[in-house]
PDB file of all heavy atoms in Angstrom:
ATOM      1  N   THR A 276      -0.182  19.825 -10.646  1.00  0.00           N
ATOM      2  CA  THR A 276       0.388  19.774  -9.290  1.00  0.00           C
ATOM      3  C   THR A 276       1.079  18.433  -9.129  1.00  0.00           C
ATOM      4  O   THR A 276       0.455  17.373  -9.273  1.00  0.00           O
ATOM      5  CB  THR A 276      -0.707  19.937  -8.221  1.00  0.00           C
ATOM      6  OG1 THR A 276      -1.425  21.138  -8.481  1.00  0.00           O
ATOM      7  CG2 THR A 276      -0.113  19.989  -6.825  1.00  0.00           C
ATOM      8  N   THR A 277       2.383  18.486  -8.864  1.00  0.00           N
ATOM      9  CA  THR A 277       3.150  17.239  -8.685  1.00  0.00           C
ATOM     10  C   THR A 277       2.976  16.746  -7.243  1.00  0.00           C
ATOM     11  O   THR A 277       2.584  17.515  -6.371  1.00  0.00           O
ATOM     12  CB  THR A 277       4.643  17.487  -8.991  1.00  0.00           C
ATOM     13  OG1 THR A 277       5.087  18.575  -8.192  1.00  0.00           O
ATOM     14  CG2 THR A 277       4.863  17.799 -10.454  1.00  0.00           C
ATOM     15  N   PRO A 278       3.257  15.455  -6.988  1.00  0.00           N
ATOM     16  CA  PRO A 278       3.057  14.927  -5.643  1.00  0.00           C
ATOM     17  C   PRO A 278       3.913  15.647  -4.606  1.00  0.00           C
ATOM     18  O   PRO A 278       5.096  15.875  -4.819  1.00  0.00           O
ATOM     19  CB  PRO A 278       3.490  13.461  -5.756  1.00  0.00           C
ATOM     20  CG  PRO A 278       3.606  13.157  -7.191  1.00  0.00           C
ATOM     21  CD  PRO A 278       3.756  14.446  -7.937  1.00  0.00           C
ATOM     22  N   TYR A 279       3.259  16.008  -3.509  1.00  0.00           N
ATOM     23  CA  TYR A 279       3.943  16.672  -2.390  1.00  0.00           C
ATOM     24  C   TYR A 279       4.741  15.620  -1.619  1.00  0.00           C
ATOM     25  O   TYR A 279       4.285  14.499  -1.442  1.00  0.00           O
ATOM     26  CB  TYR A 279       2.882  17.308  -1.507  1.00  0.00           C
ATOM     27  CG  TYR A 279       3.380  17.896  -0.216  1.00  0.00           C
ATOM     28  CD1 TYR A 279       4.199  19.029  -0.213  1.00  0.00           C
ATOM     29  CD2 TYR A 279       3.008  17.341   1.003  1.00  0.00           C
ATOM     30  CE1 TYR A 279       4.643  19.573   0.975  1.00  0.00           C
ATOM     31  CE2 TYR A 279       3.451  17.894   2.204  1.00  0.00           C
ATOM     32  CZ  TYR A 279       4.272  19.001   2.181  1.00  0.00           C
ATOM     33  OH  TYR A 279       4.712  19.539   3.362  1.00  0.00           O
ATOM     34  N   ARG A 280       5.933  15.999  -1.189  1.00  0.00           N
ATOM     35  CA  ARG A 280       6.718  15.085  -0.352  1.00  0.00           C
ATOM     36  C   ARG A 280       6.748  15.664   1.055  1.00  0.00           C
ATOM     37  O   ARG A 280       7.470  16.624   1.310  1.00  0.00           O
ATOM     38  CB  ARG A 280       8.128  14.924  -0.898  1.00  0.00           C
ATOM     39  CG  ARG A 280       8.137  14.438  -2.339  1.00  0.00           C
ATOM     40  CD  ARG A 280       9.540  14.140  -2.803  1.00  0.00           C
ATOM     41  NE  ARG A 280       9.552  14.018  -4.265  1.00  0.00           N
ATOM     42  CZ  ARG A 280      10.549  13.502  -4.958  1.00  0.00           C
ATOM     43  NH1 ARG A 280      11.638  13.062  -4.313  1.00  0.00           N
ATOM     44  NH2 ARG A 280      10.497  13.413  -6.270  1.00  0.00           N
ATOM     45  N   ALA A 281       5.962  15.049   1.914  1.00  0.00           N
ATOM     46  CA  ALA A 281       5.899  15.538   3.292  1.00  0.00           C
ATOM     47  C   ALA A 281       7.265  15.384   3.949  1.00  0.00           C
ATOM     48  O   ALA A 281       7.949  14.368   3.732  1.00  0.00           O
ATOM     49  CB  ALA A 281       4.853  14.760   4.075  1.00  0.00           C
ATOM     50  N   PRO A 282       7.699  16.398   4.736  1.00  0.00           N
ATOM     51  CA  PRO A 282       9.052  16.358   5.310  1.00  0.00           C
ATOM     52  C   PRO A 282       9.278  15.163   6.248  1.00  0.00           C
ATOM     53  O   PRO A 282      10.407  14.710   6.418  1.00  0.00           O
ATOM     54  CB  PRO A 282       9.160  17.679   6.077  1.00  0.00           C
ATOM     55  CG  PRO A 282       7.763  18.201   6.184  1.00  0.00           C
ATOM     56  CD  PRO A 282       6.999  17.647   5.048  1.00  0.00           C
ATOM     57  N   TYR A 283       8.193  14.638   6.823  1.00  0.00           N
ATOM     58  CA  TYR A 283       8.327  13.514   7.766  1.00  0.00           C
ATOM     59  C   TYR A 283       8.340  12.168   7.059  1.00  0.00           C
ATOM     60  O   TYR A 283       8.499  11.121   7.680  1.00  0.00           O
ATOM     61  CB  TYR A 283       7.174  13.536   8.782  1.00  0.00           C
ATOM     62  CG  TYR A 283       5.799  13.697   8.156  1.00  0.00           C
ATOM     63  CD1 TYR A 283       5.197  12.639   7.486  1.00  0.00           C
ATOM     64  CD2 TYR A 283       5.115  14.927   8.196  1.00  0.00           C
ATOM     65  CE1 TYR A 283       3.963  12.786   6.876  1.00  0.00           C
ATOM     66  CE2 TYR A 283       3.875  15.068   7.604  1.00  0.00           C
ATOM     67  CZ  TYR A 283       3.298  13.999   6.946  1.00  0.00           C
ATOM     68  OH  TYR A 283       2.083  14.150   6.346  1.00  0.00           O
ATOM     69  N   SER A 284       8.111  12.176   5.738  1.00  0.00           N
ATOM     70  CA  SER A 284       7.922  10.917   5.019  1.00  0.00           C
ATOM     71  C   SER A 284       9.010  10.694   3.973  1.00  0.00           C
ATOM     72  O   SER A 284       9.339  11.605   3.220  1.00  0.00           O
ATOM     73  CB  SER A 284       6.552  10.945   4.325  1.00  0.00           C
ATOM     74  OG  SER A 284       6.478   9.970   3.316  1.00  0.00           O
ATOM     75  N   TYR A 285       9.550   9.497   3.936  1.00  0.00           N
ATOM     76  CA  TYR A 285      10.419   9.094   2.827  1.00  0.00           C
ATOM     77  C   TYR A 285       9.494   8.453   1.808  1.00  0.00           C
ATOM     78  O   TYR A 285       9.040   7.318   1.981  1.00  0.00           O
ATOM     79  CB  TYR A 285      11.488   8.107   3.319  1.00  0.00           C
ATOM     80  CG  TYR A 285      12.436   7.634   2.248  1.00  0.00           C
ATOM     81  CD1 TYR A 285      13.485   8.437   1.806  1.00  0.00           C
ATOM     82  CD2 TYR A 285      12.282   6.364   1.684  1.00  0.00           C
ATOM     83  CE1 TYR A 285      14.370   7.980   0.829  1.00  0.00           C
ATOM     84  CE2 TYR A 285      13.159   5.912   0.698  1.00  0.00           C
ATOM     85  CZ  TYR A 285      14.190   6.729   0.281  1.00  0.00           C
ATOM     86  OH  TYR A 285      15.062   6.286  -0.698  1.00  0.00           O
ATOM     87  N   HIS A 286       9.160   9.225   0.777  1.00  0.00           N
ATOM     88  CA  HIS A 286       8.152   8.799  -0.202  1.00  0.00           C
ATOM     89  C   HIS A 286       8.754   7.724  -1.109  1.00  0.00           C
ATOM     90  O   HIS A 286       9.814   7.942  -1.687  1.00  0.00           O
ATOM     91  CB  HIS A 286       7.731  10.024  -1.020  1.00  0.00           C
ATOM     92  CG  HIS A 286       6.402   9.906  -1.684  1.00  0.00           C
ATOM     93  ND1 HIS A 286       5.975   8.760  -2.314  1.00  0.00           N
ATOM     94  CD2 HIS A 286       5.389  10.789  -1.805  1.00  0.00           C
ATOM     95  CE1 HIS A 286       4.758   8.967  -2.811  1.00  0.00           C
ATOM     96  NE2 HIS A 286       4.378  10.185  -2.508  1.00  0.00           N
ATOM     97  N   VAL A 287       8.084   6.577  -1.228  1.00  0.00           N
ATOM     98  CA  VAL A 287       8.634   5.506  -2.068  1.00  0.00           C
ATOM     99  C   VAL A 287       7.843   5.326  -3.373  1.00  0.00           C
ATOM    100  O   VAL A 287       8.044   4.350  -4.090  1.00  0.00           O
ATOM    101  CB  VAL A 287       8.774   4.159  -1.304  1.00  0.00           C
ATOM    102  CG1 VAL A 287       9.838   4.291  -0.212  1.00  0.00           C
ATOM    103  CG2 VAL A 287       7.444   3.692  -0.716  1.00  0.00           C
ATOM    104  N   PHE A 288       6.953   6.278  -3.649  1.00  0.00           N
ATOM    105  CA  PHE A 288       6.293   6.350  -4.961  1.00  0.00           C
ATOM    106  C   PHE A 288       5.769   5.022  -5.497  1.00  0.00           C
ATOM    107  O   PHE A 288       6.168   4.580  -6.563  1.00  0.00           O
ATOM    108  CB  PHE A 288       7.208   7.035  -5.987  1.00  0.00           C
ATOM    109  CG  PHE A 288       7.358   8.503  -5.681  1.00  0.00           C
ATOM    110  CD1 PHE A 288       8.462   8.974  -5.010  1.00  0.00           C
ATOM    111  CD2 PHE A 288       6.347   9.392  -6.025  1.00  0.00           C
ATOM    112  CE1 PHE A 288       8.573  10.327  -4.678  1.00  0.00           C
ATOM    113  CE2 PHE A 288       6.457  10.740  -5.696  1.00  0.00           C
ATOM    114  CZ  PHE A 288       7.574  11.206  -5.036  1.00  0.00           C
ATOM    115  N   HIS A 289       4.891   4.429  -4.732  1.00  0.00           N
ATOM    116  CA  HIS A 289       4.136   3.305  -5.304  1.00  0.00           C
ATOM    117  C   HIS A 289       3.390   3.811  -6.538  1.00  0.00           C
ATOM    118  O   HIS A 289       3.333   3.132  -7.560  1.00  0.00           O
ATOM    119  CB  HIS A 289       3.168   2.719  -4.280  1.00  0.00           C
ATOM    120  CG  HIS A 289       2.305   1.651  -4.837  1.00  0.00           C
ATOM    121  ND1 HIS A 289       2.831   0.494  -5.370  1.00  0.00           N
ATOM    122  CD2 HIS A 289       0.962   1.563  -4.988  1.00  0.00           C
ATOM    123  CE1 HIS A 289       1.838  -0.257  -5.813  1.00  0.00           C
ATOM    124  NE2 HIS A 289       0.710   0.357  -5.609  1.00  0.00           N
ATOM    125  N   GLN A 290       2.837   4.989  -6.418  1.00  0.00           N
ATOM    126  CA  GLN A 290       2.241   5.669  -7.572  1.00  0.00           C
ATOM    127  C   GLN A 290       2.853   7.062  -7.687  1.00  0.00           C
ATOM    128  O   GLN A 290       3.216   7.662  -6.676  1.00  0.00           O
ATOM    129  CB  GLN A 290       0.711   5.823  -7.418  1.00  0.00           C
ATOM    130  CG  GLN A 290      -0.038   4.525  -7.262  1.00  0.00           C
ATOM    131  CD  GLN A 290       0.086   3.623  -8.478  1.00  0.00           C
ATOM    132  OE1 GLN A 290       0.467   4.055  -9.570  1.00  0.00           O
ATOM    133  NE2 GLN A 290      -0.226   2.362  -8.289  1.00  0.00           N
ATOM    134  N   TYR A 291       2.911   7.537  -8.933  1.00  0.00           N
ATOM    135  CA  TYR A 291       3.246   8.947  -9.167  1.00  0.00           C
ATOM    136  C   TYR A 291       1.977   9.609  -9.667  1.00  0.00           C
ATOM    137  O   TYR A 291       1.562   9.364 -10.810  1.00  0.00           O
ATOM    138  CB  TYR A 291       4.395   9.092 -10.171  1.00  0.00           C
ATOM    139  CG  TYR A 291       4.816  10.538 -10.303  1.00  0.00           C
ATOM    140  CD1 TYR A 291       5.754  11.096  -9.440  1.00  0.00           C
ATOM    141  CD2 TYR A 291       4.241  11.353 -11.270  1.00  0.00           C
ATOM    142  CE1 TYR A 291       6.120  12.422  -9.536  1.00  0.00           C
ATOM    143  CE2 TYR A 291       4.601  12.693 -11.368  1.00  0.00           C
ATOM    144  CZ  TYR A 291       5.542  13.222 -10.499  1.00  0.00           C
ATOM    145  OH  TYR A 291       5.886  14.534 -10.585  1.00  0.00           O
ATOM    146  N   THR A 292       1.349  10.393  -8.799  1.00  0.00           N
ATOM    147  CA  THR A 292      -0.008  10.872  -9.069  1.00  0.00           C
ATOM    148  C   THR A 292      -0.055  12.385  -9.167  1.00  0.00           C
ATOM    149  O   THR A 292       0.290  13.091  -8.207  1.00  0.00           O
ATOM    150  CB  THR A 292      -0.952  10.366  -7.963  1.00  0.00           C
ATOM    151  OG1 THR A 292      -0.829   8.928  -7.909  1.00  0.00           O
ATOM    152  CG2 THR A 292      -2.394  10.747  -8.246  1.00  0.00           C
ATOM    153  N   LEU A 293      -0.477  12.856 -10.327  1.00  0.00           N
ATOM    154  CA  LEU A 293      -0.604  14.299 -10.568  1.00  0.00           C
ATOM    155  C   LEU A 293      -2.032  14.747 -10.272  1.00  0.00           C
ATOM    156  O   LEU A 293      -2.966  13.953 -10.345  1.00  0.00           O
ATOM    157  CB  LEU A 293      -0.321  14.611 -12.043  1.00  0.00           C
ATOM    158  CG  LEU A 293       1.064  14.274 -12.588  1.00  0.00           C
ATOM    159  CD1 LEU A 293       1.105  14.571 -14.084  1.00  0.00           C
ATOM    160  CD2 LEU A 293       2.134  15.078 -11.845  1.00  0.00           C
ATOM    161  N   GLN A 294      -2.173  16.027  -9.961  1.00  0.00           N
ATOM    162  CA  GLN A 294      -3.490  16.644  -9.939  1.00  0.00           C
ATOM    163  C   GLN A 294      -3.536  17.637 -11.105  1.00  0.00           C
ATOM    164  O   GLN A 294      -2.647  18.481 -11.243  1.00  0.00           O
ATOM    165  CB  GLN A 294      -3.724  17.377  -8.620  1.00  0.00           C
ATOM    166  CG  GLN A 294      -3.724  16.418  -7.426  1.00  0.00           C
ATOM    167  CD  GLN A 294      -3.941  17.151  -6.111  1.00  0.00           C
ATOM    168  OE1 GLN A 294      -4.841  17.965  -5.972  1.00  0.00           O
ATOM    169  NE2 GLN A 294      -3.110  16.837  -5.129  1.00  0.00           N
ATOM    170  N   ILE A 295      -4.570  17.497 -11.933  1.00  0.00           N
ATOM    171  CA  ILE A 295      -4.696  18.325 -13.129  1.00  0.00           C
ATOM    172  C   ILE A 295      -5.813  19.343 -12.933  1.00  0.00           C
ATOM    173  O   ILE A 295      -6.926  18.984 -12.534  1.00  0.00           O
ATOM    174  CB  ILE A 295      -5.035  17.438 -14.366  1.00  0.00           C
ATOM    175  CG1 ILE A 295      -3.998  16.323 -14.537  1.00  0.00           C
ATOM    176  CG2 ILE A 295      -5.151  18.291 -15.632  1.00  0.00           C
ATOM    177  CD1 ILE A 295      -2.579  16.780 -14.841  1.00  0.00           C
ATOM    178  N   GLU A 296      -5.506  20.584 -13.212  1.00  0.00           N
ATOM    179  CA  GLU A 296      -6.498  21.642 -13.093  1.00  0.00           C
ATOM    180  C   GLU A 296      -6.490  22.480 -14.374  1.00  0.00           C
ATOM    181  O   GLU A 296      -5.438  22.734 -14.937  1.00  0.00           O
ATOM    182  CB  GLU A 296      -6.168  22.538 -11.886  1.00  0.00           C
ATOM    183  CG  GLU A 296      -7.395  22.963 -11.149  1.00  0.00           C
ATOM    184  CD  GLU A 296      -7.112  23.243  -9.668  1.00  0.00           C
ATOM    185  OE1 GLU A 296      -6.013  22.939  -9.195  1.00  0.00           O
ATOM    186  OE2 GLU A 296      -8.016  23.743  -9.027  1.00  0.00           O
ATOM    187  N   GLY A 297      -7.675  22.848 -14.846  1.00  0.00           N
ATOM    188  CA  GLY A 297      -7.753  23.681 -16.045  1.00  0.00           C
ATOM    189  C   GLY A 297      -7.611  22.873 -17.315  1.00  0.00           C
ATOM    190  O   GLY A 297      -7.405  23.422 -18.405  1.00  0.00           O
ATOM    191  N   PHE A 298      -7.713  21.574 -17.212  1.00  0.00           N
ATOM    192  CA  PHE A 298      -7.725  20.696 -18.381  1.00  0.00           C
ATOM    193  C   PHE A 298      -8.445  19.421 -17.962  1.00  0.00           C
ATOM    194  O   PHE A 298      -8.280  18.978 -16.821  1.00  0.00           O
ATOM    195  CB  PHE A 298      -6.306  20.363 -18.860  1.00  0.00           C
ATOM    196  CG  PHE A 298      -6.270  19.685 -20.209  1.00  0.00           C
ATOM    197  CD1 PHE A 298      -6.221  20.437 -21.378  1.00  0.00           C
ATOM    198  CD2 PHE A 298      -6.305  18.295 -20.317  1.00  0.00           C
ATOM    199  CE1 PHE A 298      -6.202  19.814 -22.626  1.00  0.00           C
ATOM    200  CE2 PHE A 298      -6.289  17.663 -21.559  1.00  0.00           C
ATOM    201  CZ  PHE A 298      -6.234  18.437 -22.713  1.00  0.00           C
TER     202      PHE A 298
END
Side-chain angles (χ1 to χ4, degrees):
T276 305
T277 54
Y279 173 68
R280 303 187 195 194
Y283 49 74
S284 162
Y285 180 78
H286 202 318
V287 293
F288 290 98
H289 175 60
Q290 301 297 343
Y291 185 86
T292 304
L293 298 176
Q294 296 179 48
I295 305 296
E296 218 152 351
F298 191 88

